[in-house]
Amino acid sequence: MGRAPCCDKNGLKKGPWTSEEDVILVNYIQEHGPGNWRNLPKNAGLQRCGKSCRLRWTNYLRPDIKRGRFSFEEEETIIQLHSILGNKWSAIAARLPGRTDNEIKNYWNTHIRKRLLRMGIDPVTHTPRLDLLDLSSILGSYVSNINPAAALLNLSNLLGTQQAINVNPELLRLVTTLSSFKQGNTQLFSQNNQNQLCNVSQDLQNQLVPSLQSNPQFQNLFQDDFSPDMENLKQLMQMINTEGNLPNMSNLSSPVSYSQENIVPNSILGTETAVSNFPSYVPSSTSNPTVPELPGNSFFQLPLNNNNVNHDFGFDSVLSTPHSSPTPLNSSGTYNNINSSSTEDERDLESYCSNLLKFEIPDSTLDINDYM
DNA sequence: AAACGCCGCAACCGCCGAGGT
DNA sequence: AACCTCGGCGGTTGCGGCGTT
C-alpha cells in the first residue's frame, strides 16, 4: 500500500530554518508541548510540514541538547556502542544524554569513521581492513616460513576482516589466538589456547578457503600451484595447535609445490612492514600480556531473538576498558568548531584503539541487554 | 582578491512499524 | 483485514563556511 506523504509539499517551505520560525516553533511547543506534529505547523502558523518541525525540534531546538565538541568519553561510547549496535543511531543516542541521533550520525560519518579508516580499521566491522594488507606478503611469508609470527598475525588480520560481517565465534577465537603471536608469547599461546584452536569448526573451515579465494591476490595463488584445500587447512590448524608454531607447508598431506619467486615478491621477504600496518590492533601490554580467556562458545553473541541488530561484534571493540581520557570535556567550543584539533583527536582515538585488544571487560558497559 | 575544492552539518527523503479506525 | 496516521529511523543531499592555490 502506498503511503500518502506526510504533508502537502505545495506551498510549504523547505530548507534552513529562520530564527523567526524557530521562535514560533519553540513558543508553540513550550505552550502546548511536543507531539501532534501533523497539526502543529498549521496551529502554530508555520509554513512547514510536521515532519520538518519535529526534526527541527528534536535535532536542534530541544532545550536539553548538548552543544559543542564531543568529548573523548563520548567518542569511546559511540565507538563501543557502534561496534555492538551498528548504525542504530537512535539507540546510540539514547546512551548519550543531550546528543541526538542525527548529531551522532554526522559525527560518526565525518570524524570517527574517517579516522578509523586512516588508522586502517574498518568502521563497519571494527576490524583491521583487508585492503590495506599486502596479501602477497602474508601468504608469501607464510609459505616461505619467514617470521611465522608475523605471517600468522597477518593471516589473523586477514581472517578477522574478511569474516567480520558475519563473525563466526570460532573464527574470532582463532583470530584472537593467532594475534597472541604478535607478542611472541608462544608458550602462553600453546598453553592457554590449544583447546581453542583445536575447536576450529567446520564453519570456520568453510569460511577460510572462500576468504582466501575471494581476494584477487590470492586467486592467482590458488589457480597456480598453491592449493590450501580443506584437508590442508585442517592439518595446518592441528599443526599450529600441537607445535605452537607455524608448520612448514611441505608437511601437509598434499604437498604444495610452489615457485617462491612467483609467490613472494622481493619486497615482502621481511614482513614487519605489513605487520606494522596494524599498530593499534595488537595487544599493547607486552610486559604482562593479557591473552584473552574467551568465554565459551557464545563469544558474547547476543540472543538470536533480537532481530535487526548486528549481534556480531568484534572482540576488538567492546571488550576493552576505555582508559581515562586525557582530553577534558570541552563544552566551550562553538557548535561549528568541533574539529579544532585533529591530531589530538587522532591521538585520543589511537590510544583508545591501542587498548582494544586488552580484553579487559568493563564492569559497567558490557551488559548487552542494556544496549538492546 | 578571486576561484576552487573540500568538509561539516542541518535538513530532507523514503521507508518502516505501531496503533487507531 | 484493509486502510490510514503518526512518529521514528537511517541514508542521503546540498548549502555554507573554510582553507588552499
Side-chain angles (χ1 to χ4, degrees):
Chain A
M1 177 191 69
R3 200 199 139 178
C6 67
C7 56
D8 182 9
K9 297 290 192 297
N10 295 331
L12 295 181
K13 189 179 175 188
K14 292 171 59 177
W17 280 64
T18 65
S19 56
E20 290 80 9
E21 288 176 311
D22 285 345
V23 169
I24 293 173
L25 180 58
V26 169
N27 287 341
Y28 183 87
I29 291 178
Q30 282 178 346
E31 187 174 348
H32 300 90
N36 196 7
W37 297 106
R38 187 177 182 84
N39 296 326
L40 186 150
K42 184 175 62 181
N43 296 337
L46 287 167
Q47 297 300 309
R48 296 274 183 173
C49 75
K51 192 178 231 181
S52 180
C53 293
R54 182 178 60 82
L55 282 174
R56 183 63 178 172
W57 172 257
T58 57
N59 288 336
Y60 199 83
L61 297 175
R62 235 174 49 205
D64 58 335
I65 290 180
K66 186 190 293 182
R67 294 294 180 196
R69 185 178 184 273
F70 277 72
S71 69
F72 181 65
E73 286 81 1
E74 287 176 313
E75 275 196 20
E76 285 183 343
T77 303
I78 292 171
I79 295 171
Q80 287 187 350
L81 291 174
H82 186 272
S83 69
I84 300 170
L85 300 168
N87 294 354
K88 302 293 182 185
W89 306 117
S90 59
I92 296 173
R95 287 267 160 176
L96 288 168
R99 301 295 187 181
T100 69
D101 54 354
N102 204 43
E103 190 178 14
I104 293 171
K105 177 174 60 182
N106 284 334
Y107 191 70
W108 175 270
N109 287 329
T110 59
H111 292 89
I112 299 176
R113 181 177 175 275
K114 289 178 181 177
R115 254 180 270 145
L116 289 175
L117 286 170
R118 278 201 296 270
M119 294 164 59
I121 299 168
D122 188 319
V124 176
T125 63
H126 294 252
T127 57
R129 289 177 61 194
L130 178 60
D131 56 353
L132 293 182
L133 288 171
D134 183 345
L135 296 180
S136 296
S137 73
I138 298 169
L139 200 58
S141 59
Y142 171 76
V143 170
S144 58
N145 211 6
I146 295 172
N147 196 343
L152 272 175
L153 177 68
N154 278 339
L155 182 59
S156 69
N157 284 323
L158 161 69
L159 295 173
T161 303
Q162 190 72 21
Q163 295 299 328
I165 294 177
N166 295 303
V167 177
N168 182 308
E170 297 291 350
L171 179 61
L172 279 174
R173 193 186 307 282
L174 173 66
V175 170
T176 304
T177 302
L178 295 178
S179 294
S180 70
F181 266 104
K182 174 61 178 177
Q183 298 176 314
N185 198 334
T186 55
Q187 186 180 5
L188 197 58
F189 163 81
S190 59
Q191 287 176 351
N192 288 355
N193 299 331
Q194 273 190 9
N195 291 336
Q196 294 177 8
L197 202 51
C198 274
N199 292 333
V200 172
S201 66
Q202 189 64 44
D203 282 346
L204 166 61
Q205 294 162 26
N206 290 340
Q207 292 176 52
L208 187 53
V209 168
S211 296
L212 298 173
Q213 287 177 325
S214 65
N215 189 284
Q217 292 188 62
F218 275 133
Q219 283 172 359
N220 289 337
L221 302 176
F222 277 82
Q223 289 166 0
D224 296 338
D225 47 15
F226 179 71
S227 178
D229 59 20
M230 200 63 75
E231 191 57 38
N232 275 348
L233 289 171
K234 290 179 184 176
Q235 294 184 35
L236 167 63
M237 298 306 170
Q238 290 169 359
M239 289 176 180
I240 293 173
N241 179 47
T242 56
E243 300 173 11
N245 205 340
L246 192 71
N248 191 304
M249 289 292 287
S250 60
N251 292 337
L252 299 176
S253 62
S254 304
V256 177
S257 63
Y258 56 88
S259 170
Q260 180 159 324
E261 64 265 22
N262 290 340
I263 297 176
V264 188
N266 290 335
S267 60
I268 55 83
L269 288 177
T271 59
E272 290 305 314
T273 299
V275 172
S276 65
N277 284 338
F278 306 94
S280 300
Y281 266 68
V282 297
S284 60
S285 173
T286 54
S287 59
N288 183 20
T290 305
V291 175
E293 284 294 336
L294 299 175
N297 289 331
S298 65
F299 199 82
F300 291 99
Q301 272 198 317
L302 304 180
L304 294 176
N305 56 354
N306 281 317
N307 296 328
N308 302 324
V309 174
N310 181 10
H311 306 304
D312 303 318
F313 53 93
F315 61 89
D316 43 15
S317 294
V318 289
L319 303 184
S320 62
T321 298
H323 65 291
S324 60
S325 170
T327 306
L329 284 170
N330 181 5
S331 57
S332 60
T334 65
Y335 187 64
N336 293 324
N337 190 27
I338 61 176
N339 53 345
S340 58
S341 173
S342 61
T343 56
E344 181 181 331
D345 291 345
E346 291 190 14
R347 270 201 307 276
D348 289 347
L349 196 58
E350 287 165 7
S351 176
Y352 165 73
C353 290
S354 72
N355 289 311
L356 288 178
L357 286 188
K358 282 185 175 176
F359 295 97
E360 297 166 4
I361 302 174
D363 294 335
S364 60
T365 60
L366 202 61
D367 186 350
I368 304 303
N369 290 328
D370 284 350
Y371 295 125
M372 295 300 108

